[in-house]
């Protein structure tokens, strides 16, 4: 009877348990381990996170500071997304060796390509140091007194832990400064490219399918970590050897079912679940639409230029992907937030919050006004925040010569200082190599067109008093002069001038129209926008800390999770599709047949290689099939965000079953508000990855390196 009852209870909990919101801190595993078990997890807490013995955490690494990767062999072989390895693949590509187009497979370790600019980061320990950071703080202190003590405590704690060498300790704020954790990490710097599918697989569907389900992208690439003879972190060196990890993920080719447990272990970048209604309204109605508009215009220049010319395609593919990615995500987010009335929900919660605060005098003084204050602050300071967003779009994502020209500011304006310090040669060398990198991927016609489009918009959007003086009437002329006459825009002449006499070059640079223009943009931001923005942001930070402190204190029954902040997190759920709209249902997986159905040689996003078509016809899918189908992608209900790209999707037994790379269109709102009915992450099925490596790439030796579970 007991057994029957127990079974009954598990069935009930499984069938009623929805996808869970939250990105959990691995070292706090005891808080959520039992809930993970109700989803079907078979592992102990120690097998997931431990500092004493090897655990899953040792096989999960941050890839070059942004994405996530996982170790899949005892020889340091790692998997991440194609779009995470994209820069590296592109850097090794040329018209002769077009690895973007044709893919790349190292036949042996000797053929692996060094990427000395890449690094991966291991997490050794995540330690709650909130108490130590707050030591010596009392309620009657002013904010600046408190901040001083906090910074001092952080410095001392970090110093005590940092003993030199490759391991570093850093303390980061969590939950808007209500908690602090120490991250003890280790970087490895000798990373080599082992394999990448052609873009026709790794980026199949391109921007058309980006953020969209059903999806058919083979978004993966393969790298390897190298270490010195003692298996320690070391700079790139031919003599280094494959790294031996503490743990590598077994790879499961077993069949999968709807409802199976999934966990995503990785490094989500940032989420903003706690924005108050005023801020969210500002994002939805003002800030994001303007940024989307800016990117509409640059993409309308870049895309046709890429389609018209192969060199431009290679030069701009990475940049275009980056611009388009956030652009499309934002469009999806706004749609989702509006459809699900995110603002209404916020306002309702804010009423609840204030009602709760009114219940007790001490809460009332601390928390009752904080939401109103935040909303008012947004109204008053939003102007600066908006100008800052537009500056970021223009200076960092707009016409490229602007940011690039600004690199010459130091030489032009601090020549004497550089010379006196003895750093002149180094600076010249830096600029020479910067120029090579920049012009490898630069097309002046494209950039001039972007300049014309975006400058007009920038001026239209930003408050005139926050812009460079007179820019409205002079920008076009300045632009013509820049593209005709600037020394910076003439790489051969610039290089020769620097070679001949840095002193004379510095003098000429002072009058260079490109540098002048870039300086006017940058300085207008520094002098007119930044101070106002900083004052706003400091106040906001303080108020947000109080607001979230109120949540933690007044709603202890709610299971709060700390917003993503590029630190290691776990999110769990299960394989499932979704029904985002009335009359519409998404299945939880796609197959190779869907690739063929989308195939369209007239659309660059849906081209296939002839080799792929031949292999499809041959239908040699072997062990990688399930019920006569080869899965390509699947969706699950894990709460993920940017940075989770490349994250392992892990089954109930700790095996790798997929590589996370996206969310569906209807899910992107989860950065602000998670909705369990529609929010799904998208992973490429590991069996498709193996099939591509094994059959398409003819690199079965890589599969043999892995521990395959059947
Ligand atoms: N949307 C995914 C992410 O945010 C994939 C981006 C790369 N793919 C692309 N088509 N741009 O990273
Ligand atoms: N593609 C994203 C990344 O680069 C992950 C997708 C998401 O934002 O969920 O991290």
């Amino acid at each position: 009877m007991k057994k029957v009852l127990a079974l009954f209870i598990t069935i009930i909990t499984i069938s009623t348990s929805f996808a869970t919101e939250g990105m959990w801190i691995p070292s706090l595993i005891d808080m959520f381990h039992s809930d993970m078990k109700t989803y079907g997890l078979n592992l102990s807490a120690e097998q997931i996170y431990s500092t004493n013995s090897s655990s899953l955490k040792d096989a999960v690494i941050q890839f070059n500071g942004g994405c996530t990767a996982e170790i899949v062999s005892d020889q340091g072989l790692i998997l991440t997304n194609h779009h995470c390895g994209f820069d590296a693949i592109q850097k090794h590509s040329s018209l002769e060796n077009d690895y973007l187009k044709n893919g790349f497979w190292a036949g042996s370790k000797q053929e692996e390509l060094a990427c000395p600019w890449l690094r991966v980061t291991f997490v050794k320990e995540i330690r709650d140091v909130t108490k130590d950071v707050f030591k010596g703080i009392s309620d009657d202190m002013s904010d600046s007194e408190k901040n001083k003590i906090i910074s001092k405590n952080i410095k001392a704690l970090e110093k005590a832990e940092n003993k030199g060498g490759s391991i570093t300790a850093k303390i980061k704020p969590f939950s808007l400064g209500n908690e602090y954790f120490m991250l003890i990490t280790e970087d490895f710097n000798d990373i080599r490219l082992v394999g990448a599918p052609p873009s026709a697989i790794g980026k199949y569907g391109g921007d058309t399918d980006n953020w969209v389900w059903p999806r058919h992208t083979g978004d993966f690439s393969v790298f390897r970590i190298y270490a010195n003879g003692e298996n320690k972190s070391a700079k790139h060196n031919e003599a280094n050897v494959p790294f031996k990890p503490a743990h590598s993920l077994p790879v499961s080719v077993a069949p999968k079912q709807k409802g199976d447990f999934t966990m995503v272990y990785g490094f989500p970048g940032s989420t903003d679940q706690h924005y108050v209604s005023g801020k969210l309204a500002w994002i939805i109605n003002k800030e994001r639409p303007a940024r989307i508009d800016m990117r509409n215009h640059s993409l309308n220049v870049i895309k046709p230029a890429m389609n018209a010319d192969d060199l431009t395609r290679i030069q701009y593919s990475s940049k275009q992907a980056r611009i388009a990615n956030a652009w499309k995500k934002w469009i999806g987010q706004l749609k989702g937030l509006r459809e699900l009335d995110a603002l209404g929900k916020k306002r309702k919660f804010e009423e609840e919050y204030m009602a709760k605060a009114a219940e007790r005098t001490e809460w009332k003084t601390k928390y009752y006004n904080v939401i109103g204050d935040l909303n008012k602050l947004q109204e008053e300071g939003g102007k600066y925040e908006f100008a800052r967003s537009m500056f970021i779009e223009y200076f960092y994502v707009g016409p490229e010569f602007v940011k690039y020209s600004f690199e010459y500011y130091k030489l032009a304006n601090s020549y004497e200082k550089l010379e006196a310090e003895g750093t002149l040669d180094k600076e010249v060398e830096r600029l020479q190599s910067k120029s090579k990198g920049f012009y490898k991927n630069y097309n002046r016609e494209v950039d001039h067109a972007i300049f014309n489009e975006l400058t007009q918009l920038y001026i239209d959007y930003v408050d005139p008093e926050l812009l460079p003086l007179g820019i409205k009437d002079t920008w076009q002329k300045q632009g013509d002069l820049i593209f005709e006459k600037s020394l910076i825009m003439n790489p051969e002449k610039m290089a020769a001038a620097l070679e001949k006499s840095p002193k004379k070059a510095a003098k000429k640079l002072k009058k260079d129209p490109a540098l002048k223009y870039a300086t006017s943009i940058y300085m207008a931001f520094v002098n007119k926008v930044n101070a106002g923005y900083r004052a706003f942001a400091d106040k906001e930070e303080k108020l947000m800390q109080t607001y979230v402190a109120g949540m933690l204190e007044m709603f202890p029954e709610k299971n709060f999770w700390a917003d993503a902040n590029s630190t290691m997190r776990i999110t769990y759920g299960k394989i499932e599709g979704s029904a985002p709209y009335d009359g519409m249902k998404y299945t939880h997986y796609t197959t190779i047949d869907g690739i063929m159905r989308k195939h369209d040689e007239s659309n660059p996003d849906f081209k296939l290689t002839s080799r792929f078509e031949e292999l499809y016809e041959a239908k040699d899918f072997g062990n990688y099939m399930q019920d006569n189908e080869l899965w390509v992608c699947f969706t699950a209900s894990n709460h993920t965000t940017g940075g989770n790209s490349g994250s392992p999707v892990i089954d109930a037994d700790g095996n790798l079953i997929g590589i996370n790379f996206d969310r569906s269109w209807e899910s992107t709102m989860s950065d602000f508000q998670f909705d369990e009915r529609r929010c799904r992450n998208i992973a490429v099925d590991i069996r498709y990855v193996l099939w591509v490596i094994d059959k398409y790439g003819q690199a079965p030796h890589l599969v043999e390196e892995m521990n395959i579970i059947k």
Side-chain angles (χ1 to χ4, degrees):
M1 180 64 199
K2 249 193 188 157
K3 254 191 190 159
V4 174
L5 201 65
L7 192 68
F8 188 63
I9 290 171
T10 16
I11 287 171
I12 296 246
T13 43
I14 287 173
S15 59
T16 54
S17 62
F18 275 117
T20 41
E21 170 181 344
M23 303 175 182
W24 306 96
I25 300 168
S27 57
L28 306 184
I29 177 87
D30 289 336
M31 267 176 59
F32 53 94
H33 181 245
S34 63
D35 195 42
M36 285 171 98
K37 297 206 89 164
T38 69
Y39 276 75
L41 174 73
N42 293 326
L43 301 175
S44 69
E46 291 71 38
Q47 286 174 303
I48 292 173
Y49 175 92
S50 169
T51 50
N52 302 319
S53 54
S54 69
S55 60
L56 289 186
K57 125 179 143 10
D58 301 315
V60 181
I61 50 190
Q62 196 174 32
F63 187 80
N64 214 27
C67 287
T68 306
E70 53 275 4
I71 306 181
V72 290
S73 90
D74 55 9
Q75 302 172 51
L77 195 69
I78 61 177
L79 294 175
T80 185
N81 289 146
H82 184 260
H83 78 262
C84 297
F86 202 89
D87 272 319
I89 304 164
Q90 191 215 22
K91 277 202 175 108
H92 281 294
S93 290
S94 58
L95 281 172
E96 300 77 52
N97 280 324
D98 194 343
Y99 299 141
L100 287 177
K101 191 167 181 176
N102 306 319
F104 167 77
W105 304 100
S108 66
K109 296 207 175 73
Q110 286 70 40
E111 286 173 27
E112 297 177 357
L113 300 173
C115 307
W117 58 86
L118 283 182
R119 74 191 143 92
V120 299
T121 308
F122 284 84
V123 174
K124 299 274 173 193
E125 190 184 341
I126 307 168
R127 194 185 299 164
D128 187 347
V129 290
T130 312
K131 278 207 190 89
D132 299 325
V133 167
F134 286 148
K135 202 175 254 164
I137 300 273
S138 60
D139 279 347
D140 53 338
M141 287 177 176
S142 72
D143 288 343
S144 72
E145 274 175 296
K146 281 186 197 166
N147 288 343
K148 247 188 227 148
I149 295 179
I150 290 175
S151 314
K152 218 176 115 198
N153 286 345
I154 289 179
K155 265 205 197 114
L157 289 163
E158 285 178 346
K159 197 171 162 212
E161 197 69 34
N162 277 316
K163 299 181 182 88
S166 57
I167 298 179
T168 53
K170 192 151 181 48
I171 294 175
K172 274 195 158 199
F174 284 60
S175 295
L176 284 304
N178 286 291
E179 295 168 303
Y180 284 85
F181 284 79
M182 180 183 274
L183 293 316
I184 302 176
T185 60
E186 182 173 27
D187 278 358
F188 276 71
N189 302 297
D190 190 347
I191 311 300
R192 303 187 195 170
L193 177 62
V194 176
S199 293
I201 291 175
K203 212 188 158 187
Y204 189 70
D207 286 326
T208 314
D209 272 7
N210 193 21
W211 301 111
V212 165
W213 185 260
R215 191 63 160 277
H216 298 88
T217 314
D219 199 345
F220 79 93
S221 56
V222 193
F223 290 82
R224 192 188 302 280
I225 308 172
Y226 280 76
N228 68 15
E230 276 98 59
N231 203 34
K232 293 268 155 49
S233 170
K235 269 205 189 124
H236 170 71
N237 185 331
E238 274 311 311
N240 285 344
V241 293
F243 171 67
K244 285 192 206 63
H247 183 69
S248 67
L249 297 178
V251 177
S252 169
V253 296
K256 291 194 265 286
Q257 312 303 336
K258 191 158 94 185
D260 282 357
F261 172 87
T262 56
M263 147 167 71
V264 174
Y265 213 144
F267 295 83
S270 87
T271 52
D272 295 296
Q273 58 176 320
H274 296 307
Y275 275 175
V276 292
S277 53
K279 179 88 171 192
L280 193 61
W282 177 83
I283 295 267
I284 295 176
N285 299 321
K286 186 168 168 84
E287 198 252 16
R288 279 313 130 89
R291 296 183 80 164
I292 290 168
D293 192 25
M294 295 276 268
R295 291 186 186 212
N296 276 337
H297 282 78
S298 52
L299 289 170
N300 283 342
V301 173
I302 296 172
K303 272 199 206 153
M306 279 174 67
N307 288 346
D309 175 51
D310 262 358
L311 181 62
T312 315
R313 174 182 58 75
I314 294 178
Q315 288 177 323
Y316 277 74
S317 52
S318 187
K319 294 187 260 198
Q320 185 269 351
R322 211 172 309 136
I323 298 171
N325 192 39
W327 163 80
K328 194 164 179 190
K329 174 177 72 179
W330 293 335
I331 298 172
Q333 283 175 337
L334 297 192
K335 195 166 174 307
L337 291 168
R338 289 196 179 111
E339 280 168 359
L340 292 188
D341 189 26
L343 274 175
K345 285 184 192 136
K346 281 264 170 208
R347 293 198 182 106
K348 206 168 144 247
F349 176 72
E350 288 170 5
E351 275 167 28
E352 221 182 289
Y353 183 100
M354 287 172 73
K356 194 88 179 172
E359 282 174 12
R360 285 194 205 166
T361 343
E362 53 166 310
W363 285 352
K364 197 160 180 182
T365 37
K366 277 199 283 188
Y367 304 128
Y368 189 75
N369 290 323
V370 68
I371 294 170
D373 290 348
L374 275 163
N375 284 336
K376 202 163 117 235
L377 180 72
Q378 191 61 40
E379 250 168 53
E380 293 165 359
K383 164 174 139 180
Y384 296 108
E385 195 184 6
F386 182 74
R388 179 175 177 269
S389 289
M390 290 294 103
F391 168 76
I392 291 171
E393 280 299 317
Y394 187 72
F395 191 85
Y396 292 100
V397 198
E400 284 180 278
F401 81 84
V402 184
K403 177 168 158 269
Y404 171 67
S405 303
F406 199 63
E407 297 281 345
Y408 290 85
Y409 183 85
K410 204 167 172 186
L411 179 65
N413 294 288
S414 316
Y415 176 83
E416 281 77 22
K417 194 164 164 245
L418 287 168
E419 198 174 36
E421 281 173 2
T423 50
L424 181 64
D425 287 352
K426 225 174 148 196
E427 179 63 4
V428 169
E429 200 182 297
R430 185 185 77 86
L431 290 168
Q432 298 284 41
S433 103
K434 194 99 209 167
S435 163
K436 282 203 191 89
F438 181 77
Y439 281 102
K440 178 171 184 262
N441 292 321
Y442 187 72
N443 177 311
R444 22 193 325 130
E445 281 73 42
V446 171
D447 207 37
H448 199 165
I450 293 178
F451 171 77
N452 287 340
E453 292 285 323
L454 290 205
T455 311
Q456 185 62 57
L457 272 182
Y458 188 51
I459 293 168
D460 290 346
Y461 272 120
V462 180
D463 206 328
E465 69 191 51
L466 303 180
L467 286 171
L469 207 63
I471 185 173
K472 189 162 172 280
D473 303 314
T474 62
W475 70 270
Q476 258 157 330
K477 268 209 202 100
Q478 289 196 63
D480 292 341
L481 194 66
I482 289 164
F483 282 93
E484 247 168 63
K485 293 262 162 67
S486 164
L487 183 60
I488 298 173
M489 301 296 281
N490 189 328
E492 289 82 27
K493 273 198 184 154
M494 183 75 244
L498 280 177
E499 181 110 347
K500 212 166 145 208
S501 158
K503 188 169 185 177
K504 276 193 190 142
K507 216 169 148 194
K508 271 196 199 142
L509 280 170
K510 267 200 154 146
K511 284 182 262 157
D512 189 274
L515 178 56
K516 262 190 174 162
Y517 182 78
T519 307
S520 75
I521 295 290
Y522 192 81
M523 288 307 167
F525 169 73
V526 170
N527 296 326
K528 301 179 181 189
V529 179
N530 202 35
Y533 171 73
R534 287 277 23 126
F536 161 83
D538 287 348
K539 274 189 213 150
E540 185 184 47
E541 197 185 310
K542 196 69 226 146
L543 287 170
M544 281 303 286
Q545 183 183 3
T546 306
Y547 173 52
V548 173
M551 269 183 214
L552 298 173
E553 189 177 341
M554 300 190 297
F555 300 88
E557 72 287 357
K558 286 200 178 161
N559 229 347
F560 285 111
W561 54 279
D563 266 318
N565 59 357
S566 294
T567 60
M568 191 179 229
R569 302 295 177 95
I570 290 171
T571 151
Y572 55 96
K574 53 193 181 188
I575 296 180
E576 56 181 323
S578 61
Y581 296 116
D582 181 39
M584 195 171 157
K585 198 164 174 177
Y586 288 148
T587 55
H588 56 285
Y589 71 99
T590 58
T591 72
I592 195 165
D593 295 333
I595 296 184
M596 301 313 291
R597 198 185 59 79
K598 284 178 176 173
H599 180 205
D600 176 2
E601 284 301 312
S602 70
N603 182 343
D605 285 348
F606 297 99
K607 278 190 181 172
L608 287 173
T609 62
S610 47
R611 177 166 172 73
F612 189 92
E613 289 183 74
E614 282 157 27
L615 285 173
Y616 175 76
E617 289 308 326
K619 298 235 164 13
D620 180 13
F621 304 137
N623 261 336
Y624 305 125
M625 270 198 308
Q626 166 171 352
D627 302 328
N628 280 319
E629 287 181 319
L630 183 66
W631 288 27
V632 175
C633 294
F634 64 90
T635 62
S637 46
N638 300 293
H639 192 180
T640 52
T641 188
N644 270 128
S645 269
S647 297
V649 184
I650 298 170
D651 71 8
D653 300 305
N655 305 317
L656 182 68
I657 55 171
I659 309 173
N660 186 74
F661 72 97
D662 213 359
R663 280 170 290 167
S664 65
W665 183 243
E666 297 82 9
S667 314
T668 49
M669 58 176 293
S670 67
D671 291 346
F672 301 100
Q673 218 170 69
F674 185 83
D675 183 272
E676 65 255 334
R677 281 160 311 160
R678 62 151 79 186
C679 291
R680 301 289 177 265
N681 60 314
I682 303 177
V684 53
D685 194 289
I686 203 65
R687 295 166 297 184
Y688 181 60
V689 170
L690 296 180
W691 178 75
V692 172
I693 295 176
D694 184 356
K695 304 289 178 191
Y696 188 96
Q698 289 174 299
H701 55 284
L702 297 177
V703 178
E704 278 152 27
E705 247 188 84
M706 303 176 198
N707 174 13
I708 304 286
I709 308 286
K710 295 206 170 117

